[in-house]
């Protein structure tokens, strides 16, 4: 031990990469446990900026073993491209471990993600179009292909035939698309097999041994609590479980193997894609947050929707993840404002909700109730000690800490490694 889970508390993009970087020195193994290349982790290591989508950030630290766990959905083409790009920048990727139980994203998953979104029209989810939802749907329907199938060409061919029989009917008859050629997919995927073979392993067993040997294992969540399939703002969610509980299922360890659960939240709030967002800022405020915070997606380049810190979401996430602490990122972005709004509760048809509402109709239609705090209007990007932060910035951190009833351990004040303030 210890096992540490790192989870996003909002709708993703909270800056988990920066916190991973902070913990990396003392971490032996980094495990991705859900999602796929819909994620985008930006990390700056020794002045070099890396945007990783599928490979765990541990790859950037020579002493860490990066692991893609069974709960991840893997597009092998993207994985190999990411490995090649890292190798080209001098990063050793030979340590990467890939679970044989992870499911494969197939070409028809990408196609189905696109055509389904198109068909949904104004009701579309705003997915990343990386085939994530269709791949997890096939996993649950038990017609998915797994990484280990790449190692047995006969099984791979049989399973692909079964899947394509159904997919091609849907693609051609429902969506008027061309069918996907069996032969071409088989050849493409089996060519990936040769390159991936040395990395494929029983990662659950490996991680358990690492924990038993006293190594530090970081379970790296992608996306975030409000995008969780079961607990997020369904249907505007991703198709996996980013919450801390998902780490046990998706990595293949027991609940008692995780002793520290760190939540990451921005000092304000953003989301990409469709769906309700009670604390969404007005267009003028939102534009300030977009520009000051550089709020454009790492994966899709989409402009993020911006709003104020939402205490109801924060409390909900603190409960669902049984947080032991949390980190507030991008505190410096709030330096732009004279007054800072915090959404402390929701109002719906005259009722006040301090807790997350029990059904989506309320969440869709509720209005944010705001408290306002004084801003600090000064550059804090060079501050590294808590006592050097303006008193208003400290008051802001104390305020949200009190409302979430979980200690804040760090506040980040810029993208660089050194731009961080230890709070506890
Ligand atoms: P999917 O995961 O591509 O199916 O997309 C489902 C929803 O999750 C969409 O609203 C996406 O914008 C959102 N989403 C998926 N991955 C991320 C992420 O890494 N950050 C923020 N939003 C994400």
């Amino acid at each position: 031990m210890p096992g540490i889970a790192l989870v996003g508390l909002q709708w993703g993009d909270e800056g988990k990469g920066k916190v991973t970087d902070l913990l990396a020195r003392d971490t032996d193994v980094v495990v991705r446990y859900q999602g796929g290349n819909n994620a985008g982790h930006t990390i700056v290591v020794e002045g070099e900026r890396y945007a990783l989508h599928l490979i765990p950030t541990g790859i950037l630290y020579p002493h860490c073993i990066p692991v893609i766990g069974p709960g991840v959905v893997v597009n092998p083409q993207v994985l190999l491209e990411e490995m090649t790009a890292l190798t080209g920048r001098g990063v050793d990727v030979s340590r990467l471990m890939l679970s044989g139980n992870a499911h494969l994203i197939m070409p028809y998953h990408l196609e189905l993600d696109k055509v389904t979104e198109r068909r949904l029209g104004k009701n579309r989810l705003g997915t990343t179009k990386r085939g994530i939802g269709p791949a997890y749907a096939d996993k649950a329907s038990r017609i998915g292909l797994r990484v280990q199938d790449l190692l047995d060409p006969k099984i791979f061919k049989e399973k692909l035939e079964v899947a394509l029989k159904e997919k091609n009917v849907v693609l051609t008859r429902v969506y008027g698309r061309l069918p996907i050629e069996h032969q071409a997919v088989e050849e493409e995927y089996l060519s990936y097999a040769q390159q991936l073979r040395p990395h494929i392993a029983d990662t659950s067993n490996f991680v358990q041994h690492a924990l038993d040997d006293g190594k530090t294992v970081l379970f790296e969540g992608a996306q975030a609590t409000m995008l969780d399939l079961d607990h997020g703002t369904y249907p505007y969610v991703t198709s996996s479980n980013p919450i801390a509980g998902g780490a046990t299922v998706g990595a293949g360890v027991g609940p008692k193997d995780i002793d520290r659960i760190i939540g990451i939240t921005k000092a304000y709030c953003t989301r990409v894609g469709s769906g309700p967002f009670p604390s969404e800022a007005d267009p003028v405020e939102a534009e300030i947050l977009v520009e000051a915070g550089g709020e454009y997606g790492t994966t899709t380049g989409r402009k993020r929707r911006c709003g104020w810190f939402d205490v109801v979401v924060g409390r909900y996430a603190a409960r669902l993840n049984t947080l032991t602490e949390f980190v507030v990122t991008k505190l410096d972005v709030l330096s732009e404002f004279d007054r800072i709004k915090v959404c402390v509760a929701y109002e719906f048809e005259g009722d006040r909700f301090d807790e997350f509402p029990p059904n989506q109709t309320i969440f869709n239609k509720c209005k944010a109730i705001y408290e306002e705090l004084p801003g600090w209007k000064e550059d804090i990007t060079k501050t590294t000690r808590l006592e050097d932060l303006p008193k208003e910035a400290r008051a802001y951190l104390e305020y949200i800490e009190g409302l979430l009833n979980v200690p804040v351990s760090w506040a980040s004040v810029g993208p660089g490694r050194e731009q961080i303030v230890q709070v506890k």
Side-chain angles (χ1 to χ4, degrees):
M1 302 268 209
I4 306 172
L6 198 69
V7 292
L9 302 185
Q10 299 167 317
W11 280 277
D13 313 312
E14 293 91 352
K16 294 183 281 290
K18 166 117 186 221
V19 182
T20 309
D21 185 46
L22 210 64
L23 298 171
R25 207 174 23 155
D26 303 316
T27 301
D28 303 296
V29 179
V30 180
V31 191
R32 272 280 309 263
Y33 57 88
Q34 46 71 231
N37 60 309
N38 49 347
H41 288 174
T42 311
I43 307 229
V44 183
V45 180
E46 273 146 31
E48 290 271 323
R49 189 176 176 280
Y50 298 87
L52 297 172
H53 298 283
L54 185 56
I55 298 183
T57 47
I59 197 84
L60 302 174
Y61 308 95
H63 63 278
C64 279
I65 310 277
V67 174
I68 297 179
V72 176
V73 283
V74 177
N75 180 329
Q77 186 193 352
V78 172
L79 177 57
L80 287 165
E81 278 169 10
E82 220 165 81
M83 287 164 71
T84 307
L86 285 167
T87 306
R89 293 178 71 180
V91 177
D92 169 26
V93 298
S94 65
R95 297 161 289 131
L96 177 68
M97 295 179 77
L98 171 61
S99 167
N101 286 3
H103 276 247
L104 292 169
I105 296 181
M106 305 297 292
Y108 43 85
H109 294 140
L110 294 164
E111 188 73 4
L112 284 167
D113 204 353
K114 280 185 205 130
V115 289
T116 322
E117 279 285 272
R118 209 172 297 151
R119 177 176 55 84
L120 284 171
K122 72 173 178 45
N123 295 322
R124 69 182 173 276
L125 307 176
T127 72
T128 60
K129 301 201 178 76
R130 302 295 195 264
I132 306 296
Y136 276 115
D138 278 2
K139 172 179 172 172
S141 301
R142 292 156 297 174
I143 54 160
L145 277 84
R146 298 192 292 174
V147 166
Q148 59 181 282
D149 297 328
L150 292 170
L151 303 178
D152 187 334
K154 189 161 163 283
I155 292 272
F156 186 86
K157 185 170 187 260
E158 271 174 33
K159 290 191 174 176
L160 181 62
E161 263 165 15
V162 171
L164 271 184
K165 231 179 237 160
E166 186 220 322
K167 301 300 169 192
N168 276 337
V169 172
V170 175
L171 284 171
T172 56
R173 304 230 185 117
V174 179
Y175 294 106
R177 310 291 294 177
L178 289 172
I180 287 181
E181 288 283 335
H182 180 283
Q183 186 75 21
V185 178
E186 192 183 322
E187 277 170 20
E188 181 191 339
Y189 274 60
L190 292 178
S191 77
Y192 300 143
Q194 292 318 314
Q195 300 168 70
L196 292 177
R197 184 183 292 273
H199 301 277
I200 301 173
D202 178 349
T203 60
S204 156
N205 195 26
F206 170 79
V207 171
Q208 191 60 59
H209 279 297
L211 287 165
D212 292 345
D213 290 346
K215 302 262 194 311
T216 299
V217 178
L218 182 66
F219 299 92
E220 181 180 54
Q223 293 86 46
T225 303
M226 299 312 284
L227 291 172
D228 187 279
L229 179 60
D230 291 284
H231 305 285
T233 45
Y234 190 90
Y236 301 103
V237 292
T238 194
S239 298
S240 63
N241 293 109
I243 58 168
T248 67
V249 180
V253 297
K256 288 201 273 184
D257 289 323
I258 303 183
D259 347 71
R260 190 173 162 197
I261 302 170
I262 309 176
I264 318 295
T265 175
K266 280 181 187 165
Y268 49 100
C269 194
T270 65
R271 86 174 287 184
V272 276
S274 319
F277 185 4
S279 70
E280 190 158 17
D282 71 40
V284 176
E285 296 163 343
E287 203 49 37
I288 297 173
L289 290 166
V290 167
E291 289 315 315
E295 295 296 353
Y296 297 91
T298 317
T299 302
T300 59
R302 286 181 291 179
K303 192 176 187 174
R304 297 180 184 136
R305 296 161 64 194
C306 289
W308 301 104
F309 186 82
D310 183 333
V311 171
V312 182
V313 163
R315 265 204 215 113
Y316 180 60
R319 166 168 75 77
L320 279 171
N321 291 294
T322 56
L323 295 183
T324 55
E325 67 202 85
F326 72 108
V327 178
V328 177
T329 60
K330 294 189 149 186
L331 186 64
D332 54 302
V333 173
L334 294 182
S335 303
E336 301 289 324
F337 296 92
D338 289 319
R339 313 263 320 151
I340 298 168
K341 289 187 199 163
V342 178
C343 167
V344 291
Y346 305 144
E347 188 273 325
F348 176 69
E349 293 184 344
D351 288 329
R352 179 183 165 113
F353 289 83
D354 291 291
E355 299 285 338
F356 197 71
N359 70 56
Q360 65 166 12
T361 306
I362 303 175
F363 189 67
N364 270 300
K365 297 192 178 149
C366 67
K367 299 254 172 307
I369 299 174
Y370 290 110
E371 295 282 334
E372 281 195 8
L373 272 71
W376 45 92
K377 279 290 216 169
E378 72 182 84
D379 182 6
I380 57 169
T381 56
K382 293 187 185 62
T383 310
T384 52
R385 295 185 324 162
L386 183 65
E387 55 271 35
D388 296 336
L389 274 180
K391 67 175 188 326
E392 295 83 357
R394 273 181 279 141
Y396 183 76
L397 292 175
E398 273 165 31
Y399 183 68
I400 57 178
E401 178 180 70
L403 289 169
L404 264 55
N405 198 20
V406 178
V408 177
S409 45
W410 285 296
S412 136
V413 292
R417 189 180 251 187
E418 63 299 338
Q419 290 176 295
I420 191 105
V421 176
Q422 182 155 16
V423 180
K424 291 258 157 25

